[in-house]
Coordinates of all heavy atoms in Angstrom, one line a residue:
M1 N -96.9 86.3 134.2 CA -97.3 85.1 134.7 C -98.8 84.8 134.7 O -99.3 83.7 134.4 CB -96.8 85.0 136.2 CG -96.9 83.7 136.8 SD -95.8 82.6 136.0 CE -95.9 81.2 137.1
K2 N -99.6 85.9 134.8 CA -101.0 85.8 134.7 C -101.4 85.4 133.3 O -102.4 84.6 133.2 CB -101.7 87.1 135.1 CG -102.0 87.3 136.5 CD -102.8 88.6 136.7 CE -103.1 88.7 138.2 NZ -104.0 89.9 138.4
N3 N -100.7 85.9 132.3 CA -101.1 85.6 130.9 C -100.8 84.1 130.7 O -101.6 83.4 130.0 CB -100.2 86.4 130.0 CG -100.8 86.4 128.6 OD1 -101.9 86.1 128.4 ND2 -99.9 86.8 127.7
V4 N -99.7 83.5 131.3 CA -99.4 82.1 131.1 C -100.5 81.3 131.7 O -101.0 80.3 131.1 CB -98.0 81.8 131.7 CG1 -97.8 80.3 131.7 CG2 -96.9 82.5 131.0
R5 N -100.9 81.6 132.9 CA -102.0 80.9 133.6 C -103.3 81.0 132.8 O -104.0 80.0 132.7 CB -102.2 81.5 135.0 CG -101.2 81.1 136.0 CD -101.6 81.6 137.3 NE -100.4 82.0 138.1 CZ -100.5 82.6 139.2 NH1 -101.6 83.0 139.7 NH2 -99.4 83.0 139.8
K6 N -103.6 82.2 132.3 CA -104.8 82.3 131.5 C -104.8 81.5 130.3 O -105.8 80.8 130.0 CB -105.0 83.8 131.2 CG -106.3 84.1 130.4 CD -106.3 85.6 130.1 CE -107.5 85.9 129.2 NZ -107.6 87.3 128.8
N7 N -103.7 81.5 129.6 CA -103.6 80.7 128.3 C -103.5 79.2 128.6 O -104.1 78.4 127.9 CB -102.3 81.1 127.6 CG -102.4 82.4 126.9 OD1 -103.5 82.8 126.5 ND2 -101.3 83.1 126.7
L8 N -102.9 78.8 129.7 CA -102.8 77.4 130.1 C -104.2 76.8 130.4 O -104.6 75.7 130.1 CB -101.9 77.1 131.2 CG -101.7 75.6 131.6 CD1 -101.1 74.8 130.5 CD2 -100.8 75.5 132.9
F9 N -105.0 77.6 131.1 CA -106.3 77.2 131.6 C -107.4 77.4 130.5 O -108.6 77.2 130.8 CB -106.7 77.8 132.9 CG -107.7 77.0 133.6 CD1 -107.4 75.7 134.0 CD2 -109.0 77.5 133.9 CE1 -108.4 74.9 134.7 CE2 -109.9 76.7 134.6 CZ -109.6 75.4 135.0
S10 N -107.0 77.8 129.3 CA -108.0 77.9 128.3 C -108.1 76.6 127.4 O -107.4 75.7 127.7 CB -107.6 79.1 127.4 OG -106.4 78.8 126.6
E11 N -108.9 76.7 126.4 CA -109.0 75.5 125.5 C -107.6 75.3 124.8 O -107.2 74.2 124.5 CB -110.1 75.7 124.5 CG -110.4 74.5 123.6 CD -111.5 74.7 122.7 OE1 -112.5 75.4 123.1 OE2 -111.5 74.1 121.6
K12 N -106.9 76.4 124.5 CA -105.6 76.3 123.9 C -104.6 75.6 124.8 O -103.8 74.8 124.3 CB -105.1 77.7 123.6 CG -105.8 78.4 122.5 CD -105.2 79.7 122.2 CE -105.9 80.5 121.2 NZ -105.4 81.9 121.0
G13 N -104.8 75.8 126.1 CA -103.9 75.1 127.1 C -104.1 73.6 127.0 O -103.1 72.8 127.0
M14 N -105.3 73.1 127.0 CA -105.6 71.7 127.0 C -105.1 71.1 125.6 O -104.6 70.0 125.6 CB -107.0 71.4 127.2 CG -107.3 70.0 127.5 SD -106.4 69.5 129.0 CE -106.1 67.8 128.7
T15 N -105.2 71.9 124.6 CA -104.7 71.5 123.3 C -103.2 71.3 123.3 O -102.7 70.3 122.8 CB -105.1 72.5 122.2 OG1 -106.6 72.6 122.2 CG2 -104.7 72.0 120.8
A16 N -102.5 72.2 124.0 CA -101.1 72.1 124.1 C -100.7 70.9 124.9 O -99.7 70.2 124.6 CB -100.5 73.4 124.8
V17 N -101.4 70.6 126.0 CA -101.2 69.4 126.8 C -101.4 68.1 125.9 O -100.5 67.2 125.9 CB -102.1 69.3 128.0 CG1 -102.0 68.0 128.8 CG2 -101.7 70.5 129.0
N18 N -102.4 68.1 125.2 CA -102.7 66.9 124.3 C -101.6 66.8 123.2 O -101.2 65.7 122.9 CB -104.1 67.0 123.7 CG -105.2 66.8 124.7 OD1 -105.0 66.2 125.7 ND2 -106.3 67.4 124.4
A19 N -101.2 67.9 122.7 CA -100.1 67.9 121.7 C -98.8 67.4 122.3 O -98.1 66.6 121.6 CB -99.9 69.3 121.1
L20 N -98.5 67.7 123.5 CA -97.3 67.2 124.2 C -97.4 65.7 124.4 O -96.4 65.0 124.2 CB -97.1 67.9 125.5 CG -96.5 69.3 125.4 CD1 -96.6 70.0 126.8 CD2 -95.1 69.3 124.9
F21 N -98.5 65.2 124.7 CA -98.7 63.8 124.9 C -98.5 63.1 123.5 O -97.9 62.0 123.5 CB -100.0 63.4 125.6 CG -99.9 63.5 127.1 CD1 -100.6 64.5 127.7 CD2 -99.2 62.6 127.8 CE1 -100.5 64.6 129.1 CE2 -99.1 62.7 129.2 CZ -99.8 63.7 129.8
L22 N -99.1 63.6 122.5 CA -98.9 63.1 121.2 C -97.5 63.1 120.7 O -96.9 62.1 120.2 CB -99.8 63.8 120.2 CG -99.7 63.4 118.7 CD1 -100.2 61.9 118.6 CD2 -100.5 64.3 117.8
L23 N -96.8 64.2 121.0 CA -95.4 64.3 120.7 C -94.5 63.3 121.4 O -93.6 62.8 120.9 CB -94.9 65.8 121.0 CG -93.5 66.2 120.5 CD1 -93.5 66.1 119.0 CD2 -93.2 67.6 120.9
S24 N -94.9 63.0 122.7 CA -94.2 62.1 123.5 C -94.3 60.7 122.9 O -93.4 59.8 123.0 CB -94.6 62.1 124.9 OG -95.9 61.5 125.1
L25 N -95.5 60.4 122.2 CA -95.6 59.1 121.6 C -94.7 59.0 120.3 O -94.2 57.9 120.0 CB -97.1 58.9 121.1 CG -98.1 58.6 122.3 CD1 -99.5 58.6 121.7 CD2 -97.7 57.3 122.9
L26 N -94.6 60.1 119.6 CA -93.8 60.1 118.4 C -92.3 60.1 118.7 O -91.5 59.6 117.9 CB -94.2 61.3 117.5 CG -95.6 61.3 117.1 CD1 -95.9 62.6 116.3 CD2 -95.9 60.1 116.2
L27 N -91.9 60.8 119.8 CA -90.5 60.9 120.1 C -90.2 60.1 121.4 O -90.0 60.7 122.5 CB -90.1 62.4 120.3 CG -90.3 63.3 119.1 CD1 -90.1 64.8 119.5 CD2 -89.4 62.9 118.0
R28 N -90.2 58.9 121.3 CA -90.0 58.0 122.4 C -88.5 58.2 123.0 O -87.6 58.5 122.2 CB -90.2 56.6 122.1 CG -91.6 56.3 121.7 CD -91.9 54.9 122.0 NE -93.3 54.6 121.8 CZ -94.2 54.4 122.8 NH1 -93.8 54.4 124.0 NH2 -95.5 54.2 122.6
D29 N -88.4 58.0 124.3 CA -87.1 58.1 125.0 C -86.4 59.4 124.8 O -85.2 59.5 124.8 CB -86.2 57.0 124.5 CG -86.7 55.6 124.7 OD1 -87.5 55.4 125.7 OD2 -86.4 54.7 123.9
S30 N -87.2 60.5 124.7 CA -86.6 61.8 124.5 C -86.9 62.7 125.7 O -86.3 63.8 125.8 CB -87.2 62.5 123.3 OG -88.6 62.8 123.4
G31 N -87.7 62.3 126.7 CA -88.0 63.0 127.8 C -89.2 64.0 127.7 O -89.5 64.7 128.6
V32 N -89.8 63.9 126.5 CA -91.0 64.8 126.3 C -92.1 64.4 127.2 O -92.9 65.2 127.6 CB -91.4 64.8 124.8 CG1 -92.7 65.6 124.6 CG2 -90.3 65.3 123.9
I33 N -92.2 63.1 127.6 CA -93.2 62.6 128.4 C -93.2 63.3 129.8 O -94.3 63.6 130.4 CB -93.2 61.1 128.6 CG1 -94.5 60.6 129.3 CG2 -92.0 60.6 129.4 CD1 -95.7 60.6 128.4
F34 N -92.0 63.6 130.3 CA -91.9 64.3 131.6 C -92.5 65.7 131.5 O -93.2 66.2 132.3 CB -90.5 64.4 132.0 CG -89.9 63.1 132.3 CD1 -88.9 62.6 131.4 CD2 -90.3 62.3 133.4 CE1 -88.3 61.3 131.7 CE2 -89.7 61.1 133.6 CZ -88.7 60.6 132.7
I35 N -92.2 66.4 130.4 CA -92.7 67.8 130.2 C -94.3 67.7 130.0 O -95.0 68.5 130.6 CB -92.1 68.4 128.9 CG1 -90.6 68.6 129.1 CG2 -92.8 69.7 128.6 CD1 -89.8 68.9 127.9
A36 N -94.7 66.7 129.3 CA -96.2 66.6 129.1 C -96.9 66.4 130.5 O -97.9 67.0 130.7 CB -96.5 65.4 128.2
Y37 N -96.4 65.5 131.3 CA -97.0 65.2 132.6 C -96.9 66.5 133.5 O -97.8 66.8 134.2 CB -96.4 64.0 133.3 CG -97.0 62.7 132.9 CD1 -96.2 61.7 132.2 CD2 -98.4 62.5 133.1 CE1 -96.8 60.5 131.8 CE2 -98.9 61.3 132.7 CZ -98.2 60.3 132.0 OH -98.7 59.1 131.6
L38 N -95.8 67.2 133.5 CA -95.6 68.3 134.3 C -96.6 69.5 133.9 O -97.1 70.1 134.7 CB -94.2 68.8 134.3 CG -93.2 67.8 135.0 CD1 -91.8 68.3 134.8 CD2 -93.5 67.6 136.5
V39 N -96.7 69.6 132.6 CA -97.7 70.7 132.1 C -99.1 70.2 132.5 O -99.9 71.1 132.9 CB -97.5 70.9 130.6 CG1 -98.6 71.8 130.0 CG2 -96.2 71.5 130.3
W40 N -99.4 68.9 132.4 CA -100.7 68.5 132.7 C -101.0 68.7 134.2 O -102.1 69.1 134.7 CB -100.9 67.0 132.4 CG -102.3 66.4 132.5 CD1 -103.4 67.1 132.2 CD2 -102.6 65.1 133.0 NE1 -104.5 66.2 132.5 CE2 -104.0 65.0 133.0 CE3 -101.9 64.1 133.5 CZ2 -104.7 63.9 133.4 CZ3 -102.6 62.9 133.8 CH2 -104.0 62.9 133.8
I41 N -100.0 68.4 135.1 CA -100.1 68.7 136.5 C -100.4 70.2 136.8 O -101.2 70.5 137.6 CB -98.8 68.2 137.3 CG1 -98.8 66.7 137.3 CG2 -98.8 68.8 138.7 CD1 -97.5 66.1 137.8
A42 N -99.7 71.1 136.0 CA -99.9 72.5 136.2 C -101.4 72.8 135.8 O -102.0 73.6 136.5 CB -98.9 73.3 135.4
Y43 N -101.8 72.2 134.7 CA -103.2 72.5 134.2 C -104.2 72.0 135.3 O -105.2 72.7 135.6 CB -103.4 71.7 132.9 CG -104.8 71.9 132.4 CD1 -105.2 73.0 131.6 CD2 -105.8 70.9 132.6 CE1 -106.4 73.1 131.1 CE2 -107.1 71.0 132.1 CZ -107.4 72.2 131.3 OH -108.6 72.3 130.8
L44 N -104.0 70.8 135.8 CA -104.9 70.3 136.9 C -104.9 71.2 138.1 O -105.9 71.4 138.8 CB -104.6 68.9 137.2 CG -104.9 67.9 136.0 CD1 -104.3 66.5 136.4 CD2 -106.4 67.8 135.8
A45 N -103.7 71.6 138.5 CA -103.5 72.5 139.7 C -104.3 73.8 139.5 O -104.9 74.3 140.5 CB -102.1 72.7 140.0
L46 N -104.2 74.4 138.3 CA -105.0 75.6 138.1 C -106.5 75.3 138.1 O -107.3 76.1 138.6 CB -104.6 76.1 136.7 CG -103.3 76.9 136.6 CD1 -103.0 77.3 135.2 CD2 -103.4 78.2 137.5
G47 N -106.9 74.1 137.7 CA -108.3 73.7 137.8 C -108.7 73.6 139.2 O -109.9 74.0 139.5
I48 N -107.9 73.1 140.1 CA -108.2 73.0 141.5 C -108.4 74.4 142.1 O -109.3 74.7 142.8 CB -107.2 72.2 142.3 CG1 -107.3 70.7 141.9 CG2 -107.3 72.4 143.8 CD1 -106.2 69.9 142.5
K49 N -107.4 75.3 141.7 CA -107.4 76.7 142.2 C -108.6 77.5 141.8 O -109.1 78.3 142.5 CB -106.1 77.3 141.8 CG -105.8 78.6 142.5 CD -104.5 79.1 142.2 CE -104.1 80.3 143.0 NZ -102.8 80.8 142.7
N50 N -109.1 77.2 140.5 CA -110.1 78.1 139.9 C -111.5 77.6 140.1 O -112.4 78.2 139.6 CB -109.8 78.3 138.4 CG -108.6 79.1 138.2 OD1 -108.2 79.9 139.1 ND2 -107.9 78.9 137.1
T51 N -111.7 76.4 140.7 CA -113.1 75.9 140.9 C -113.6 75.9 142.3 O -112.8 75.9 143.2 CB -113.2 74.5 140.3 OG1 -114.5 74.1 140.3 CG2 -112.4 73.5 141.2
S52 N -114.9 76.0 142.5 CA -115.4 75.9 143.8 C -116.1 74.6 144.1 O -116.5 74.3 145.2 CB -116.5 77.0 144.0 OG -117.5 76.9 143.0
S53 N -116.1 73.7 143.0 CA -116.7 72.4 143.1 C -115.8 71.4 143.9 O -114.7 71.2 143.5 CB -117.0 71.9 141.8 OG -117.5 70.5 141.8
K54 N -116.3 70.8 144.9 CA -115.5 69.9 145.7 C -115.2 68.6 144.9 O -114.1 68.1 145.0 CB -116.3 69.5 147.0 CG -115.4 68.8 148.0 CD -116.2 68.6 149.3 CE -115.3 67.9 150.3 NZ -115.9 67.7 151.5
G55 N -116.2 68.2 144.1 CA -116.0 67.0 143.2 C -114.9 67.2 142.2 O -114.0 66.3 142.0
I56 N -114.8 68.3 141.6 CA -113.8 68.6 140.6 C -112.4 68.7 141.3 O -111.4 68.2 140.8 CB -114.0 70.0 139.9 CG1 -115.3 69.9 139.0 CG2 -112.8 70.3 139.0 CD1 -115.3 68.9 137.9
R57 N -112.4 69.2 142.5 CA -111.1 69.3 143.3 C -110.6 67.9 143.6 O -109.4 67.6 143.5 CB -111.3 70.1 144.6 CG -111.4 71.5 144.3 CD -111.6 72.3 145.6 NE -111.9 73.6 145.4 CZ -111.3 74.6 146.0 NH1 -110.5 74.4 147.0 NH2 -111.6 75.9 145.7
I58 N -111.5 67.0 144.0 CA -111.1 65.6 144.3 C -110.6 64.9 143.1 O -109.6 64.2 143.1 CB -112.3 64.9 145.0 CG1 -112.6 65.5 146.3 CG2 -112.0 63.4 145.1 CD1 -113.9 65.0 147.0
I59 N -111.4 65.0 142.0 CA -111.0 64.3 140.7 C -109.6 64.8 140.2 O -108.7 64.1 139.9 CB -112.1 64.5 139.7 CG1 -113.3 63.7 140.0 CG2 -111.6 64.1 138.3 CD1 -114.5 64.0 139.2
N60 N -109.4 66.2 140.2 CA -108.2 66.7 139.8 C -107.0 66.3 140.7 O -105.9 66.1 140.3 CB -108.2 68.2 139.7 CG -109.0 68.7 138.5 OD1 -109.4 67.9 137.6 ND2 -109.1 70.0 138.3
S61 N -107.3 66.2 142.0 CA -106.2 65.7 142.9 C -105.8 64.3 142.7 O -104.6 63.9 142.7 CB -106.7 65.9 144.4 OG -107.0 67.2 144.7
V62 N -106.8 63.5 142.4 CA -106.5 62.1 142.0 C -105.7 62.0 140.7 O -104.8 61.2 140.6 CB -107.8 61.2 141.9 CG1 -107.6 59.9 141.3 CG2 -108.5 61.1 143.3
L63 N -106.1 62.8 139.7 CA -105.4 62.9 138.5 C -103.9 63.4 138.7 O -103.0 62.9 138.0 CB -106.1 63.7 137.4 CG -107.4 63.0 136.9 CD1 -108.2 64.0 136.0 CD2 -107.1 61.8 136.2
I64 N -103.7 64.3 139.6 CA -102.4 64.8 139.8 C -101.6 63.7 140.5 O -100.4 63.5 140.1 CB -102.4 66.1 140.7 CG1 -102.9 67.3 139.9 CG2 -101.1 66.4 141.4 CD1 -103.2 68.5 140.7
A65 N -102.1 63.0 141.4 CA -101.4 61.9 142.0 C -101.1 60.8 141.0 O -99.9 60.3 141.0 CB -102.3 61.2 143.1
F66 N -102.0 60.5 140.0 CA -101.7 59.6 139.0 C -100.5 60.1 138.1 O -99.6 59.4 137.7 CB -102.9 59.4 138.1 CG -102.7 58.6 136.9 CD1 -102.5 57.2 136.9 CD2 -102.7 59.2 135.6 CE1 -102.2 56.5 135.8 CE2 -102.4 58.5 134.5 CZ -102.2 57.1 134.5
A67 N -100.6 61.4 137.7 CA -99.5 62.0 136.9 C -98.2 61.9 137.6 O -97.2 61.6 136.9 CB -99.9 63.4 136.5
M68 N -98.2 62.2 138.9 CA -96.9 62.1 139.6 C -96.4 60.7 139.6 O -95.2 60.5 139.5 CB -97.1 62.7 141.0 CG -97.4 64.2 141.0 SD -97.9 64.8 142.6 CE -96.3 65.1 143.4
L69 N -97.3 59.8 139.8 CA -96.9 58.4 139.8 C -96.3 58.0 138.4 O -95.2 57.3 138.4 CB -98.1 57.5 140.1 CG -97.8 56.0 140.1 CD1 -96.8 55.5 141.2 CD2 -99.1 55.2 140.1
M70 N -96.9 58.4 137.4 CA -96.4 58.1 136.0 C -95.1 58.8 135.8 O -94.2 58.2 135.1 CB -97.4 58.6 135.0 CG -98.7 57.8 135.0 SD -98.4 56.0 134.9 CE -97.7 55.8 133.3
V71 N -94.8 60.0 136.3 CA -93.5 60.6 136.2 C -92.5 59.8 136.8 O -91.4 59.5 136.3 CB -93.5 62.1 136.7 CG1 -92.1 62.6 136.9 CG2 -94.3 63.0 135.8
L72 N -92.8 59.3 138.1 CA -91.8 58.5 138.8 C -91.6 57.1 138.1 O -90.4 56.7 138.0 CB -92.3 58.2 140.2 CG -92.3 59.5 141.1 CD1 -93.0 59.1 142.5 CD2 -90.9 60.0 141.3
V73 N -92.6 56.5 137.6 CA -92.4 55.2 136.8 C -91.6 55.4 135.6 O -90.7 54.7 135.3 CB -93.8 54.6 136.5 CG1 -93.7 53.5 135.5 CG2 -94.5 54.1 137.8
N74 N -91.9 56.5 134.8 CA -91.1 56.8 133.6 C -89.7 57.1 134.0 O -88.7 56.7 133.2 CB -91.7 57.9 132.8 CG -92.9 57.4 132.0 OD1 -92.7 56.5 131.2 ND2 -94.1 58.0 132.3
L75 N -89.4 57.8 135.0 CA -88.1 58.1 135.5 C -87.3 56.9 135.9 O -86.2 56.7 135.5 CB -88.1 59.1 136.6 CG -86.8 59.6 137.1 CD1 -86.0 60.4 136.0 CD2 -86.9 60.5 138.3
Y76 N -88.0 56.0 136.6 CA -87.4 54.7 137.0 C -87.0 53.9 135.7 O -85.9 53.4 135.6 CB -88.4 53.9 137.9 CG -87.9 52.5 138.1 CD1 -86.8 52.2 138.9 CD2 -88.5 51.4 137.4 CE1 -86.4 50.9 139.2 CE2 -88.1 50.1 137.6 CZ -87.1 49.9 138.5 OH -86.6 48.6 138.7
L77 N -87.9 53.8 134.8 CA -87.7 53.0 133.6 C -86.6 53.6 132.7 O -85.7 52.9 132.1 CB -89.0 52.9 132.7 CG -90.1 52.1 133.3 CD1 -91.3 52.1 132.5 CD2 -89.6 50.6 133.5
L78 N -86.5 55.0 132.7 CA -85.4 55.7 132.0 C -84.1 55.4 132.6 O -83.1 55.1 131.9 CB -85.7 57.2 131.9 CG -84.7 58.0 131.1 CD1 -84.8 57.7 129.7 CD2 -85.0 59.5 131.4
L79 N -84.0 55.5 133.9 CA -82.8 55.2 134.6 C -82.3 53.8 134.6 O -81.1 53.5 134.6 CB -82.9 55.7 136.1 CG -83.0 57.3 136.2 CD1 -83.2 57.6 137.7 CD2 -81.8 58.0 135.7
R80 N -83.3 52.9 134.5 CA -83.0 51.5 134.5 C -82.3 51.1 133.2 O -81.5 50.2 133.1 CB -84.2 50.7 134.7 CG -84.0 49.2 135.1 CD -85.2 48.5 135.4 NE -85.5 47.7 134.3 CZ -86.6 47.1 134.0 NH1 -87.6 47.3 134.8 NH2 -86.7 46.3 133.0
R81 N -82.7 51.8 132.1 CA -82.1 51.5 130.8 C -80.7 52.1 130.6 O -80.0 51.6 129.8 CB -83.0 52.1 129.7 CG -84.1 51.3 129.3 CD -84.9 51.9 128.2 NE -86.0 52.5 128.8 CZ -86.8 53.5 128.3 NH1 -86.4 53.9 127.1 NH2 -87.8 54.0 128.9
V82 N -80.4 53.0 131.4 CA -79.0 53.7 131.3 C -78.0 52.8 131.9 O -77.9 51.9 132.5 CB -79.0 55.0 132.0 CG1 -77.6 55.6 132.0 CG2 -80.0 56.0 131.2

């Protein structure tokens, strides 16, 4: 588990998050967007846990709230189409 956290919070981790968002653009209506947002939330949560800066904690918390809102909006839109 430590290795996963270490890799996620490295430059490779952010590259993976960006790749998931790009993949979600290419594969519309496949649910990849949910995985991308959840991985981004995990990345931001690790950022909150690993920093001592109050400003970074606030910014990451706002971004987590935004990501959660986007997951809910995408879920609503997905269910509405079904």
Side-chain angles (χ1 to χ4, degrees):
M1 191 67 174
K2 275 187 174 182
N3 196 21
V4 172
R5 285 187 215 169
K6 183 181 174 184
N7 286 333
L8 182 62
F9 202 63
S10 69
E11 187 175 329
K12 290 179 185 177
M14 195 61 213
T15 302
V17 171
N18 290 335
L20 282 170
F21 277 110
L22 179 63
L23 190 62
S24 73
L25 287 173
L26 298 174
L27 301 173
R28 295 210 174 249
D29 300 330
S30 66
V32 176
I33 192 73
F34 297 110
I35 297 168
Y37 276 118
L38 293 175
V39 172
W40 189 38
I41 288 170
Y43 179 84
L44 292 170
L46 282 174
I48 290 173
K49 192 174 186 178
N50 291 334
T51 189
S52 60
S53 172
K54 191 173 181 179
I56 297 296
R57 287 178 187 227
I58 291 170
I59 290 169
N60 283 359
S61 297
V62 169
L63 289 173
I64 287 173
F66 171 74
M68 292 171 85
L69 176 68
M70 293 307 295
V71 167
L72 292 174
V73 167
N74 281 301
L75 185 60
Y76 170 74
L77 292 174
L78 181 69
L79 293 175
R80 200 174 104 194
R81 275 184 261 159
V82 173

